[in-house]
mmCIF file of all heavy atoms in Angstrom:
data_model
loop_
_atom_site.group_PDB
_atom_site.id
_atom_site.type_symbol
_atom_site.label_atom_id
_atom_site.label_comp_id
_atom_site.label_asym_id
_atom_site.label_seq_id
_atom_site.Cartn_x
_atom_site.Cartn_y
_atom_site.Cartn_z
ATOM 1 N N GLN A 1 -13.094 8.780 -5.553
ATOM 2 C CA GLN A 1 -11.851 8.142 -5.944
ATOM 3 C C GLN A 1 -11.326 7.243 -4.837
ATOM 4 O O GLN A 1 -11.541 7.505 -3.653
ATOM 5 C CB GLN A 1 -10.777 9.180 -6.264
ATOM 6 C CG GLN A 1 -11.067 10.053 -7.455
ATOM 7 C CD GLN A 1 -9.891 10.937 -7.807
ATOM 8 O OE1 GLN A 1 -8.762 10.465 -7.956
ATOM 9 N NE2 GLN A 1 -10.152 12.225 -7.947
ATOM 10 N N LEU A 2 -10.627 6.192 -5.242
ATOM 11 C CA LEU A 2 -9.909 5.329 -4.317
ATOM 12 C C LEU A 2 -8.433 5.482 -4.615
ATOM 13 O O LEU A 2 -8.019 5.363 -5.772
ATOM 14 C CB LEU A 2 -10.317 3.863 -4.492
ATOM 15 C CG LEU A 2 -11.787 3.506 -4.281
ATOM 16 C CD1 LEU A 2 -11.987 2.006 -4.507
ATOM 17 C CD2 LEU A 2 -12.234 3.889 -2.883
ATOM 18 N N VAL A 3 -7.649 5.758 -3.592
ATOM 19 C CA VAL A 3 -6.218 5.952 -3.772
ATOM 20 C C VAL A 3 -5.456 4.995 -2.881
ATOM 21 O O VAL A 3 -5.561 5.060 -1.654
ATOM 22 C CB VAL A 3 -5.799 7.398 -3.464
ATOM 23 C CG1 VAL A 3 -4.294 7.557 -3.655
ATOM 24 C CG2 VAL A 3 -6.546 8.368 -4.367
ATOM 25 N N GLU A 4 -4.675 4.108 -3.503
ATOM 26 C CA GLU A 4 -3.867 3.152 -2.761
ATOM 27 C C GLU A 4 -2.484 3.726 -2.480
ATOM 28 O O GLU A 4 -1.983 4.569 -3.226
ATOM 29 C CB GLU A 4 -3.698 1.841 -3.542
ATOM 30 C CG GLU A 4 -4.994 1.165 -3.939
ATOM 31 C CD GLU A 4 -5.382 1.466 -5.364
ATOM 32 O OE1 GLU A 4 -5.024 2.562 -5.866
ATOM 33 O OE2 GLU A 4 -6.041 0.614 -5.993
ATOM 34 N N SER A 5 -1.867 3.222 -1.426
ATOM 35 C CA SER A 5 -0.504 3.596 -1.099
ATOM 36 C C SER A 5 0.131 2.472 -0.297
ATOM 37 O O SER A 5 -0.559 1.603 0.223
ATOM 38 C CB SER A 5 -0.456 4.907 -0.307
ATOM 39 O OG SER A 5 -1.122 4.775 0.935
ATOM 40 N N GLY A 6 1.444 2.500 -0.193
ATOM 41 C CA GLY A 6 2.153 1.524 0.615
ATOM 42 C C GLY A 6 2.945 0.491 -0.156
ATOM 43 O O GLY A 6 3.739 -0.248 0.435
ATOM 44 N N GLY A 7 2.753 0.416 -1.457
ATOM 45 C CA GLY A 7 3.502 -0.542 -2.252
ATOM 46 C C GLY A 7 4.981 -0.200 -2.254
ATOM 47 O O GLY A 7 5.354 0.973 -2.226
ATOM 48 N N ASN A 8 5.818 -1.225 -2.309
ATOM 49 C CA ASN A 8 7.252 -1.010 -2.246
ATOM 50 C C ASN A 8 7.992 -2.263 -2.678
ATOM 51 O O ASN A 8 7.381 -3.300 -2.949
ATOM 52 C CB ASN A 8 7.664 -0.632 -0.826
ATOM 53 C CG ASN A 8 8.867 0.272 -0.774
ATOM 54 O OD1 ASN A 8 9.674 0.314 -1.705
ATOM 55 N ND2 ASN A 8 9.002 1.012 0.323
ATOM 56 N N LEU A 9 9.302 -2.149 -2.716
ATOM 57 C CA LEU A 9 10.181 -3.294 -2.942
ATOM 58 C C LEU A 9 10.546 -3.848 -1.576
ATOM 59 O O LEU A 9 11.014 -3.107 -0.710
ATOM 60 C CB LEU A 9 11.432 -2.870 -3.705
ATOM 61 C CG LEU A 9 12.536 -3.914 -3.864
ATOM 62 C CD1 LEU A 9 12.044 -5.077 -4.719
ATOM 63 C CD2 LEU A 9 13.771 -3.280 -4.487
ATOM 64 N N VAL A 10 10.338 -5.141 -1.377
ATOM 65 C CA VAL A 10 10.591 -5.754 -0.084
ATOM 66 C C VAL A 10 11.236 -7.124 -0.262
ATOM 67 O O VAL A 10 11.018 -7.798 -1.273
ATOM 68 C CB VAL A 10 9.278 -5.866 0.727
ATOM 69 C CG1 VAL A 10 8.292 -6.795 0.031
ATOM 70 C CG2 VAL A 10 9.547 -6.318 2.149
ATOM 71 N N GLN A 11 12.036 -7.518 0.708
ATOM 72 C CA GLN A 11 12.687 -8.821 0.683
ATOM 73 C C GLN A 11 11.707 -9.943 1.025
ATOM 74 O O GLN A 11 10.689 -9.723 1.688
ATOM 75 C CB GLN A 11 13.843 -8.853 1.686
ATOM 76 C CG GLN A 11 15.015 -7.946 1.341
ATOM 77 C CD GLN A 11 15.995 -8.607 0.392
ATOM 78 O OE1 GLN A 11 15.997 -9.827 0.236
ATOM 79 N NE2 GLN A 11 16.830 -7.815 -0.245
ATOM 80 N N VAL A 12 12.024 -11.131 0.564
ATOM 81 C CA VAL A 12 11.234 -12.304 0.926
ATOM 82 C C VAL A 12 11.132 -12.406 2.447
ATOM 83 O O VAL A 12 12.120 -12.255 3.155
ATOM 84 C CB VAL A 12 11.857 -13.592 0.364
ATOM 85 C CG1 VAL A 12 11.186 -14.827 0.933
ATOM 86 C CG2 VAL A 12 11.784 -13.593 -1.151
ATOM 87 N N GLY A 13 9.929 -12.655 2.944
ATOM 88 C CA GLY A 13 9.714 -12.753 4.373
ATOM 89 C C GLY A 13 9.389 -11.437 5.041
ATOM 90 O O GLY A 13 9.046 -11.413 6.232
ATOM 91 N N GLY A 14 9.482 -10.362 4.303
ATOM 92 C CA GLY A 14 9.208 -9.048 4.846
ATOM 93 C C GLY A 14 7.724 -8.743 4.914
ATOM 94 O O GLY A 14 6.878 -9.573 4.572
ATOM 95 N N SER A 15 7.420 -7.530 5.350
ATOM 96 C CA SER A 15 6.035 -7.114 5.522
ATOM 97 C C SER A 15 5.778 -5.746 4.906
ATOM 98 O O SER A 15 6.679 -4.914 4.797
ATOM 99 C CB SER A 15 5.675 -7.052 7.011
ATOM 100 O OG SER A 15 5.800 -8.306 7.633
ATOM 101 N N LEU A 16 4.551 -5.534 4.507
ATOM 102 C CA LEU A 16 4.094 -4.249 4.001
ATOM 103 C C LEU A 16 2.648 -4.061 4.425
ATOM 104 O O LEU A 16 1.918 -5.037 4.608
ATOM 105 C CB LEU A 16 4.161 -4.176 2.476
ATOM 106 C CG LEU A 16 5.511 -4.004 1.792
ATOM 107 C CD1 LEU A 16 5.328 -4.109 0.279
ATOM 108 C CD2 LEU A 16 6.139 -2.669 2.151
ATOM 109 N N ARG A 17 2.254 -2.813 4.564
ATOM 110 C CA ARG A 17 0.857 -2.523 4.810
ATOM 111 C C ARG A 17 0.355 -1.557 3.741
ATOM 112 O O ARG A 17 0.862 -0.444 3.610
ATOM 113 C CB ARG A 17 0.610 -1.914 6.195
ATOM 114 C CG ARG A 17 -0.893 -1.821 6.514
ATOM 115 C CD ARG A 17 -1.180 -1.401 7.933
ATOM 116 N NE ARG A 17 -1.177 0.043 8.095
ATOM 117 C CZ ARG A 17 -1.926 0.703 8.984
ATOM 118 N NH1 ARG A 17 -2.734 0.019 9.794
ATOM 119 N NH2 ARG A 17 -1.843 2.015 9.075
ATOM 120 N N LEU A 18 -0.626 -2.000 3.001
ATOM 121 C CA LEU A 18 -1.237 -1.179 1.977
ATOM 122 C C LEU A 18 -2.448 -0.453 2.550
ATOM 123 O O LEU A 18 -3.164 -0.996 3.390
ATOM 124 C CB LEU A 18 -1.682 -2.026 0.788
ATOM 125 C CG LEU A 18 -0.624 -2.923 0.145
ATOM 126 C CD1 LEU A 18 -1.223 -3.632 -1.070
ATOM 127 C CD2 LEU A 18 0.605 -2.127 -0.247
ATOM 128 N N SER A 19 -2.656 0.758 2.078
ATOM 129 C CA SER A 19 -3.807 1.540 2.502
ATOM 130 C C SER A 19 -4.581 2.000 1.277
ATOM 131 O O SER A 19 -4.002 2.238 0.219
ATOM 132 C CB SER A 19 -3.374 2.769 3.310
ATOM 133 O OG SER A 19 -2.694 2.401 4.482
ATOM 134 N N CYS A 20 -5.867 2.130 1.428
ATOM 135 C CA CYS A 20 -6.723 2.628 0.358
ATOM 136 C C CYS A 20 -7.741 3.572 0.972
ATOM 137 O O CYS A 20 -8.531 3.162 1.822
ATOM 138 C CB CYS A 20 -7.419 1.470 -0.349
ATOM 139 S SG CYS A 20 -8.673 1.988 -1.551
ATOM 140 N N VAL A 21 -7.709 4.807 0.534
ATOM 141 C CA VAL A 21 -8.607 5.824 1.061
ATOM 142 C C VAL A 21 -9.616 6.245 0.005
ATOM 143 O O VAL A 21 -9.240 6.592 -1.114
ATOM 144 C CB VAL A 21 -7.828 7.066 1.534
ATOM 145 C CG1 VAL A 21 -8.790 8.114 2.094
ATOM 146 C CG2 VAL A 21 -6.798 6.687 2.580
ATOM 147 N N ALA A 22 -10.873 6.212 0.367
ATOM 148 C CA ALA A 22 -11.929 6.689 -0.516
ATOM 149 C C ALA A 22 -12.169 8.163 -0.234
ATOM 150 O O ALA A 22 -12.364 8.558 0.917
ATOM 151 C CB ALA A 22 -13.210 5.896 -0.294
ATOM 152 N N SER A 23 -12.132 8.970 -1.270
ATOM 153 C CA SER A 23 -12.316 10.403 -1.102
ATOM 154 C C SER A 23 -13.417 10.917 -2.020
ATOM 155 O O SER A 23 -13.796 10.266 -2.984
ATOM 156 C CB SER A 23 -11.009 11.154 -1.373
ATOM 157 O OG SER A 23 -10.585 10.963 -2.713
ATOM 158 N N GLY A 24 -13.890 12.117 -1.709
ATOM 159 C CA GLY A 24 -14.981 12.697 -2.453
ATOM 160 C C GLY A 24 -16.269 12.592 -1.661
ATOM 161 O O GLY A 24 -16.261 12.312 -0.468
#
């Protein structure tokens, strides 16, 4: 499985970091 995380509501010009972990 691949599980993503890190999505959110953010203001214009802001930053986010998404992660995806492969498990199994």
Side-chain angles (χ1 to χ4, degrees):
Q1 295 187 51
L2 300 180
V3 180
E4 304 98 331
S5 63
N8 210 337
L9 172 65
V10 64
Q11 293 275 342
V12 170
S15 299
L16 285 174
R17 189 172 85 149
L18 306 183
S19 298
C20 172
V21 180
S23 62

